[in-house]
Amino acid sequence: MIQVTGATERDYLFPAEPATALAYYNDLGRITDCLPHITLKKRVAPDHGRVLYQTRELGAYAIRIFCDLQTIADWDNLALTVRPATTAVPVPAAAGLYSAQAHGRFASESRFYPNGQQTRIVYKLQLQAELPPPFSLHIIPGAVLNRIAASITNGRIHEIVNGFIEQSIAAFPQWREQQLTVNS
């Protein structure tokens, strides 16, 4: 099995006070819309769903990792946790000539801190999975495959976090305008 493991933590400023920032991010669909390579495949409830991490690596290998998630907003401590959920049957691991899929574990945590008219958000993200190696890679030793996977995963995790921050901040003004329209 190929070990896919990546994690990172980033701080960033968000253009609203903490309660508004938490309300904005407290939507599984909105979160996944802003995550590069990750799509919401099935929403089970407003705070539960199945997502798919999908990418093509080394120009040839289709990688698919399914994760079941639950969001938990902690309004008292201004925190949002996205954790693995166990409400669905896991996707079975499978490999093809140039593809691999498995069920994995995605988790994130956001902490919201007042910073003048803005919010400082501390965002942590983690992705883990065990993928069966594509058949075309069976001749490569597992330790070598894991080193390659670690390097690729590390780059993708940073790409996902950077994209998430940029896309979520860019989408905020439209959400805020919709909220003002609904509440007026």
Side-chain angles (χ1 to χ4, degrees):
M1 297 296 259
I2 300 172
Q3 302 299 316
V4 173
T5 303
T8 194
E9 179 177 323
R10 286 272 313 273
D11 286 38
Y12 64 99
L13 289 177
F14 189 78
E17 53 34 84
T20 300
L22 178 53
Y24 173 70
Y25 284 110
N26 188 26
D27 182 300
L28 186 58
R30 185 172 306 107
I31 290 171
T32 55
D33 283 349
C34 295
L35 289 165
H37 306 293
I38 297 174
T39 55
L40 181 61
K41 298 307 283 183
K42 181 180 179 184
R43 187 174 232 159
V44 179
D47 63 343
H48 279 76
R50 175 169 281 177
V51 298
L52 169 63
Y53 166 82
Q54 184 171 339
T55 186
R56 184 163 301 280
E57 300 301 349
L58 304 173
Y61 298 97
I63 305 300
R64 296 167 47 95
I65 300 172
F66 293 88
C67 302
D68 294 315
L69 306 178
Q70 175 184 11
T71 59
I72 301 167
D74 180 347
W75 293 95
D76 294 332
N77 294 305
L78 293 172
L80 179 65
T81 303
V82 178
R83 69 176 189 191
T86 57
T87 55
V89 176
V91 172
L97 188 59
Y98 293 101
S99 64
Q101 82 170 21
H103 205 86
R105 182 183 186 279
F106 176 97
S108 71
E109 179 183 67
S110 300
R111 297 251 174 212
F112 302 83
Y113 301 97
N115 189 341
Q117 300 289 357
Q118 299 182 329
T119 298
R120 182 174 70 89
I121 299 175
V122 177
Y123 181 66
K124 298 177 185 178
L125 177 97
Q126 179 182 25
L127 177 67
Q128 296 175 315
E130 288 187 0
L131 286 165
F135 299 140
S136 62
L137 296 177
H138 277 238
I139 60 170
I140 299 174
V144 173
L145 285 177
N146 284 331
R147 278 196 302 275
I148 293 168
S151 175
I152 291 170
T153 303
N154 186 45
R156 290 291 185 217
I157 291 295
H158 288 285
E159 185 180 322
I160 289 167
V161 169
N162 291 337
F164 174 73
I165 292 168
E166 290 172 19
Q167 291 178 38
S168 66
I169 290 172
F172 177 67
Q174 181 180 356
W175 178 84
R176 177 179 258 168
E177 186 64 35
Q178 289 172 343
Q179 297 305 304
L180 292 173
T181 303
V182 169
N183 295 325
S184 57

